[in-house]
Amino acid sequence: MLVKTEYEEDISEKEIDFEVMDKFDNKVILKVDNNKISMTQILEKFMKYGNIIDLESIPVSLEEVIFDIYTKN
């Protein structure tokens, strides 16, 4: 799953625990495997980066899922 998060402050210099798809100033798009980590744990990690203004889940296409399956195995 992809998650777009917007923070109150600039987080572009912070180390992020997830795969970063895009990061600019106070916005970041992360790839998160919600089968390996619970949503509660994901939110706890997101909140340690700063105060969240907006959080949005971005649907992943079937093609991306299939691509990930074949490239990771």
Side-chain angles (χ1 to χ4, degrees):
M1 141 175 92
L2 297 178
V3 179
K4 178 180 171 186
T5 310
E6 182 176 355
Y7 292 89
E8 285 183 355
E9 60 279 338
D10 183 355
I11 65 157
S12 60
E13 299 300 317
K14 293 191 177 186
E15 282 292 319
I16 305 293
D17 295 335
F18 299 98
E19 183 178 347
V20 177
M21 305 304 285
D22 191 20
K23 181 166 63 168
F24 182 75
D25 291 337
N26 66 330
K27 297 176 185 169
V28 64
I29 297 177
L30 304 170
K31 189 171 188 179
V32 178
D33 186 349
N34 57 332
N35 292 318
K36 293 184 179 177
I37 185 170
S38 74
M39 286 304 292
T40 302
Q41 292 170 314
I42 292 169
L43 290 173
E44 285 174 355
K45 286 182 179 265
F46 282 4
M47 290 187 320
K48 81 176 186 179
Y49 306 133
N51 294 324
I52 298 171
I53 296 172
D54 191 29
L55 186 72
E56 176 185 353
S57 175
I58 302 171
V60 179
S61 71
L62 181 59
E63 290 83 12
E64 289 175 286
V65 172
I66 292 170
F67 178 80
D68 280 350
I69 290 171
Y70 283 102
T71 58
K72 289 183 181 177
N73 291 329

